[in-house]
Amino acid sequence: MSDSEEHHFESKADAGASKTYPQQAGTIRKNGYIVIKGRPCKVVEVSTSKTGKHGHAKCHFVAIDIFNGKKLEDIVPSSHNCDVPHVNRTDYQLIDISEDGFVSLLTENGGTKDDLRLPTDETLLSQIKAGFDDGKDLIVSVMSAMGEEQICGLKDIGKN
């Protein structure tokens, strides 16, 4: 091979940061997070069954999808590993709401983030719109997990 040849690699991979990490099913508690059917969920109920004659103790998880609110259930042997999503909450200042339902947010380093839609939750949506229309300084909490992001909370920092 000569030095004049250029190599182009098509890569669909990201930086290698995993969207989930393994955790033993028996150690996951209520209010923790778990991946069920490929969706990040918050655990609302955990029950553990005793070991059978030939088996493992089983953990029965009831969890709510953190983005769409659907209830999901899973039963896993307590000694097995489950995927747990990396869940982050970040606060941004609301700058603008566009006509097509996207919001413009101010990041900590002074840039803008324009790729988030308004939340589907009616009460949160009406609070954001009402506060924005009143000219209040609003801080929105954005929850992100497994490559998805959604506005999940709102604070009014008020005028000084």
Side-chain angles (χ1 to χ4, degrees), residues 94 96-105 113-121 124-125 128 140-142 149-152:
L94 181 66
D96 192 21
I97 299 174
S98 64
E99 300 292 317
D100 56 0
F102 282 87
V103 292
S104 185
L105 304 172
K113 180 173 180 56
D114 302 307
D115 57 351
L116 268 176
R117 282 192 168 280
L118 280 165
T120 49
D121 177 29
L124 189 58
L125 178 64
I128 291 173
V140 294
S141 291
V142 176
E149 291 183 308
Q150 184 174 304
I151 296 172
C152 63

Side-chain angles (χ1 to χ4, degrees), residues 80-126:
H80 287 204
N81 281 349
C82 293
D83 283 335
V84 177
H86 290 286
V87 178
N88 294 317
R89 273 178 92 119
T90 317
D91 290 347
Y92 298 103
Q93 185 165 354
L94 181 66
I95 302 172
D96 192 21
I97 299 174
S98 64
E99 300 292 317
D100 56 0
F102 282 87
V103 292
S104 185
L105 304 172
L106 183 67
T107 61
E108 281 185 3
N109 60 12
T112 59
K113 180 173 180 56
D114 302 307
D115 57 351
L116 268 176
R117 282 192 168 280
L118 280 165
T120 49
D121 177 29
E122 286 300 320
T123 52
L124 189 58
L125 178 64
S126 59

